[in-house]
């Protein structure tokens, strides 16, 4: 009996070169500052967080484009990868309305986990931001929260690409790891987005409301109480659905994404043969010009 052929190796994620890494670090630092500066602001400027979304959006879009351009310049993304980015973003944007507004059930999260896993952190970050932007246009969810959602989803997908590689973890262990990441990442996404909205909400109880200018530990304690009181159930629904979809559909989708990535051969070097001349004209064409008779 002949031995079965060895399984095809998993395709390598799109690599992050120095320029793409620099762009990712820059956009991450800007995002951290945008989310967290009200916690360090004085009493007079704390509620100005409601007006910084247009500025963040104006900075975020060029930076997203910069990450794509830097990845292309580092030979990590080509036209095929950009096409796949568009397809996955469209699918993710179409998935989001299926559960939005229903106990936090958002099926797009498991797609972001698996896509970031297969295609890498740089691709995942851009995919998360573009998907959230497209879904906001699709559902009419454009508002001051949108650039923050784009950043948070980009980080969520980026984190999936930073998990231990498929050459080290495969099969059920890989699915379990992705499900655990999806569970924890769903709560992290909700917590980060809570921070964006919490600092501009007023009229809540003293124990959970943001007090501009108060010491950071005191405000963080109130923020934790706010999350426990308002969003744990919502985040739990999102996390549970991500786990269920990852464990039930993850193996099939991982295989499909890896097959598409392998066929696209993103990392295949492009070479040109300088000795190759132009292709000969068909005989009918030579006859029409009078040559070859």
């Amino acid at each position: 009996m002949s031995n079965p052929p060895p399984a095809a190796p998993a395709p390598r994620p799109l690599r992050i070169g120095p320029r793409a890494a620099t762009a990712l670090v820059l956009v991450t630092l800007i995002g951290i500052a945008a989310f967290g500066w009200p916690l360090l602001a004085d009493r007079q400027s704390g509620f100005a967080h409601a007006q910084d979304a247009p500025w963040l959006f104006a900075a975020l879009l060029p930076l997203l484009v910069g990450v794509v351009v830097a990845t292309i310049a580092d030979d990590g993304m080509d036209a095929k990868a950009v096409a796949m980015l568009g397809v996955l973003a469209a699918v993710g944007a179409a998935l989001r309305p299926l559960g939005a507004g229903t106990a936090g059930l958002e099926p797009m999260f498991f797609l972001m986990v698996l896509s970031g896993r297969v295609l890498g952190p740089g691709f995942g970050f851009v995919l998360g931001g573009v998907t959230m932007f497209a879904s906001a246009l699709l559902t009419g969810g454009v508002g001051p929260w949108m650039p923050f959602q784009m950043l948070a989803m980009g980080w969520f997908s980026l984190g999936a690409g930073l998990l231990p590689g498929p050459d080290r973890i495969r099969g059920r262990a890989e699915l379990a790891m992705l499900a655990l990441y999806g569970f924890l990442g769903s709560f992290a996404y909700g917590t980060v987005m809570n921070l964006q909205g919490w600092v501009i909400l007023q009229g809540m109880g003293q124990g959970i409301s943001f007090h501009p200018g108060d010491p950071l530990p005191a405000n963080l304690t109130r923020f934790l109480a706010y999350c426990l009181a308002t969003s744990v159930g919502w985040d739990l629904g999102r996390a549970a659905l991500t786990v269920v979809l990852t464990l039930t559909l993850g193996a099939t989708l991982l295989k499909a994404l890896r097959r598409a990535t392998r066929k696209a051969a993103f990392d295949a070097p492009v070479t040109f043969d300088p000795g190759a001349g132009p292709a000969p004209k068909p005989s009918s064409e030579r006859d029409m010009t009078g040559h070859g008779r």
Side-chain angles (χ1 to χ4, degrees), residues 191-286:
T191 301
V192 169
M193 287 308 303
N194 281 342
L195 181 60
Q196 179 269 329
W198 175 66
V199 296
I200 61 177
L201 292 176
Q202 303 183 43
M204 296 185 296
Q206 289 295 312
I208 62 173
S209 62
F210 173 57
H211 294 178
D214 274 15
L216 181 61
N219 268 327
L220 288 179
T221 300
R222 297 188 193 98
F223 176 63
L224 178 60
Y226 168 81
C227 291
L228 293 174
T230 62
S231 63
V232 168
W234 189 276
D235 294 338
L236 181 60
R238 178 192 300 120
L241 181 62
T242 302
V243 169
V244 170
L245 291 178
T246 301
L247 294 178
T248 55
L249 303 177
T252 302
L253 187 55
L254 281 174
K255 186 181 298 183
L257 287 172
R258 283 171 174 153
R259 184 185 302 115
T261 303
R262 191 179 296 111
K263 289 184 177 181
F266 297 134
D267 56 352
V270 179
T271 59
F272 299 94
D273 184 359
K281 295 181 180 181
S283 58
S284 59
E285 189 174 342
R286 291 199 304 269

Side-chain angles (χ1 to χ4, degrees), residues 103-115:
L105 302 179
E106 297 180 84
M108 67 174 289
F109 275 74
F110 101 101
L111 177 63
M112 297 297 104
V113 171
L114 301 181
S115 300

Side-chain angles (χ1 to χ4, degrees), residues 1 75 89 133 153 181 268 273:
M1 295 180 62
D75 295 328
F133 177 73
M153 184 57 72
Y181 175 81
D273 184 359

Side-chain angles (χ1 to χ4, degrees), residues 149-209:
Q149 287 178 327
M150 292 171 63
L151 272 171
M153 184 57 72
W155 290 334
F156 178 80
S157 302
L158 180 147
L162 295 175
L163 295 172
D167 55 333
R168 298 168 55 187
I169 300 179
R170 294 294 295 271
R172 294 182 179 179
E174 182 181 32
L175 285 182
M177 177 186 68
L178 294 176
L180 178 61
Y181 175 81
F183 184 86
L184 299 177
S186 296
F187 276 96
Y189 173 89
T191 301
V192 169
M193 287 308 303
N194 281 342
L195 181 60
Q196 179 269 329
W198 175 66
V199 296
I200 61 177
L201 292 176
Q202 303 183 43
M204 296 185 296
Q206 289 295 312
I208 62 173
S209 62

Side-chain angles (χ1 to χ4, degrees), residues 37-170:
W37 76 262
L39 294 174
L40 305 176
D42 57 27
R43 194 173 301 275
Q44 285 72 32
S45 60
F47 289 110
H49 194 46
Q51 280 80 47
D52 64 1
W55 299 104
L56 176 61
F57 186 66
L60 181 60
L61 283 186
L63 286 172
L64 280 174
V65 174
V67 173
V68 176
V69 171
T71 307
I72 293 173
D74 289 332
D75 295 328
M77 186 180 291
D78 58 11
K80 295 174 289 186
V82 174
M84 183 172 286
L85 173 69
V87 171
L88 291 174
V91 173
L95 283 175
R96 191 180 180 211
L98 298 181
T102 309
L105 302 179
E106 297 180 84
M108 67 174 289
F109 275 74
F110 101 101
L111 177 63
M112 297 297 104
V113 171
L114 301 181
S115 300
R117 168 67 171 171
V118 173
L119 293 160
F123 186 100
F125 180 85
V126 177
L127 175 63
V130 172
T131 301
M132 194 58 72
F133 177 73
S135 68
L137 298 180
L138 182 65
T139 61
V142 179
W145 54 84
M146 187 179 70
F148 296 94
Q149 287 178 327
M150 292 171 63
L151 272 171
M153 184 57 72
W155 290 334
F156 178 80
S157 302
L158 180 147
L162 295 175
L163 295 172
D167 55 333
R168 298 168 55 187
I169 300 179
R170 294 294 295 271

